[in-house]
Amino acid sequence: TLTFHNMEPTIKEEKKNIVFSDNSSANLVLFFDGNQKIDPKTPVILVIPALGIGAYYYHEMSRQLVRNKGWIVALTEHRGMGSSSERPNKNSDWGYYKLISVEMPAYLQTVVSFYPENKIYLLGHSLGGQLNTLFLSHLLLTANRELYDRISGSIQVGSPNLYYRIYSFRILIYSFLMMIYIFLFGYYDGKLFGFGGVQPKMMMYDWMSIVHHGKWTINGSSHDLDGGLKNIDKRMLFITLGKDYYAPPRTVQGFMEKCRPENSSLLLLNKEDLGPEFVNYTPKLLHFRWVKNPTKLADYIEAWMHQEDNES
């Protein structure tokens, strides 16, 4: 009699030090099941963190996605955080454009080189979701079809439209205080404002551009990346996290409305939908703590992925 055992995943982690075109560097960390050969049908999730949060914060989430879903996870690091060779200060400046034109293409190209046949999905948290879409717009507007065509879809978790008429008048006041601080000291200190960590001034100017005018104006880009969002023909999933303090449902919907309606989906989740342990979390904690147990959220994402398979 033959007895078959389901082998528990042996989660392997491999760090790849990526040297970018400007000679800065950061680590890309790959998480995968070491017991399995690479299956071309296994989705690869390219994770883009939130503002001011190092990649380390998403390590346990990445392990859980491998353990519970069998996915491959590629975890990126923002410039200025963790393994990055750069640090923000008044003499070191960069903005969104450096991330979407230098770092994200290099991360994606590395993932493609390791997994040339697998579907690749962007998964961005908060700022990361905004960067997902601006990156896709950048690839289209710069005619980089080779990389654009390797992306199967984009997932935005707790990613808001920060336009003050959609978000709140509060954010407009915050932005003016930020501008005063940056003018005086030459950089942004999130400890004073309650979020975002230490950031270079241009990063926050790009962040604030949509607050004031309702559209992103990205320093360094000669293209209308905000307007280009309507040209993205990839499947897009926008996810709310209960009554998220930093990304209320109306702002996530407002972000989705910048993209093509025919291939954009909005998933409105309550705290209970994320799992019983989230019921007592405050709206501020929800924005960050979903990362600690993403199992239920991953179920919804998997169902969305399967919709594509059923339609094709």
Side-chain angles (χ1 to χ4, degrees):
T1 303
L2 293 176
T3 303
F4 294 92
H5 299 278
N6 289 324
M7 190 176 294
E8 281 291 314
T10 299
I11 300 171
K12 292 194 67 176
E13 302 174 19
E14 289 188 3
K15 291 181 181 179
K16 309 293 181 183
N17 186 250
I18 311 300
V19 178
F20 304 111
S21 59
D22 63 353
N23 291 321
S24 64
S25 65
N27 288 340
L28 175 73
V29 186
L30 302 177
F31 297 80
F32 55 94
D33 183 355
N35 290 332
Q36 303 292 331
K37 293 182 178 179
I38 296 175
D39 183 349
K41 294 182 180 179
T42 301
V44 179
I45 311 299
L46 184 61
V47 178
I48 314 297
L51 181 69
I53 297 184
Y56 70 89
Y57 187 75
Y58 300 87
H59 277 212
E60 182 54 32
M61 178 198 80
S62 301
R63 296 184 191 107
Q64 289 189 45
L65 294 180
V66 176
R67 183 181 300 115
N68 299 326
K69 292 298 174 188
W71 297 341
I72 298 164
V73 179
L75 176 58
T76 69
E77 183 90 85
H78 284 318
R79 178 170 294 238
M81 301 301 301
S83 64
S84 171
S85 62
E86 305 301 297
R87 286 296 178 266
N89 55 60
K90 64 181 181 181
N91 299 315
S92 180
D93 199 13
W94 63 82
Y96 284 25
Y97 189 64
K98 184 72 77 170
L99 304 186
I100 63 175
S101 68
V102 173
E103 296 193 347
M104 291 179 71
Y107 286 134
L108 178 57
Q109 189 64 65
T110 302
V111 171
V112 169
S113 70
F114 281 101
Y115 307 105
E117 299 179 41
N118 299 65
K119 288 185 176 181
I120 299 170
Y121 293 89
L122 306 178
L123 191 158
H125 175 208
S126 197
L127 168 77
Q130 298 167 359
L131 292 175
N132 282 357
T133 59
L134 292 169
F135 174 51
L136 286 166
S137 178
H138 168 74
L139 291 178
L140 273 180
L141 290 168
T142 56
N144 191 338
R145 294 294 312 197
E146 182 180 359
L147 281 183
Y148 179 83
D149 289 342
R150 287 297 288 114
I151 298 170
S152 293
S154 183
I155 303 151
Q156 291 64 238
V157 182
S159 299
N161 180 335
L162 296 172
Y163 184 36
Y164 79 94
R165 293 183 182 274
I166 296 174
Y167 198 91
S168 74
F169 194 72
R170 179 186 76 243
I171 200 170
L172 192 62
I173 297 172
Y174 263 82
S175 70
F176 285 126
L177 293 174
M178 290 175 194
M179 290 173 71
I180 293 170
Y181 185 90
I182 291 169
F183 176 78
L184 292 174
F185 298 99
Y187 69 99
Y188 169 82
D189 189 348
K191 292 178 183 177
L192 296 177
F193 294 95
F195 75 99
V198 177
Q199 299 293 337
K201 59 186 178 182
M202 193 178 298
M203 190 75 183
M204 298 312 293
Y205 287 153
D206 289 341
W207 184 91
M208 284 186 281
S209 66
I210 192 171
V211 172
H212 301 158
H213 307 296
K215 65 177 295 183
W216 280 289
T217 304
I218 307 303
N219 289 286
S221 175
S222 59
H223 299 284
D224 179 8
L225 298 179
D226 188 289
L229 299 179
K230 288 290 186 186
N231 297 325
I232 300 170
D233 58 1
K234 303 294 182 181
R235 295 182 72 233
M236 313 278 275
L237 178 62
F238 296 81
I239 303 175
T240 68
L241 302 164
K243 296 180 180 178
D244 187 339
Y245 177 83
Y246 295 101
R250 68 181 181 279
T251 68
V252 176
Q253 181 170 351
F255 180 24
M256 182 189 72
E257 288 171 356
K258 283 182 163 290
C259 301
R260 283 188 179 183
E262 62 268 25
N263 50 327
S264 299
S265 302
L266 179 65
L267 181 58
L268 296 164
L269 297 180
N270 297 314
K271 289 194 288 187
E272 296 78 7
D273 298 323
L274 296 170
E277 66 270 41
F278 294 98
V279 171
N280 296 320
Y281 279 5
T282 66
K284 282 189 176 182
L285 283 178
L286 266 180
H287 186 74
F288 301 102
R289 294 291 178 84
W290 68 271
V291 169
K292 300 303 181 182
N293 186 357
T295 303
K296 287 285 188 182
L297 188 66
D299 288 342
Y300 296 113
I301 293 173
E302 186 175 50
W304 172 78
M305 289 177 177
H306 287 164
Q307 285 178 2
E308 178 187 23
D309 295 336
N310 294 334
E311 291 167 3
S312 60

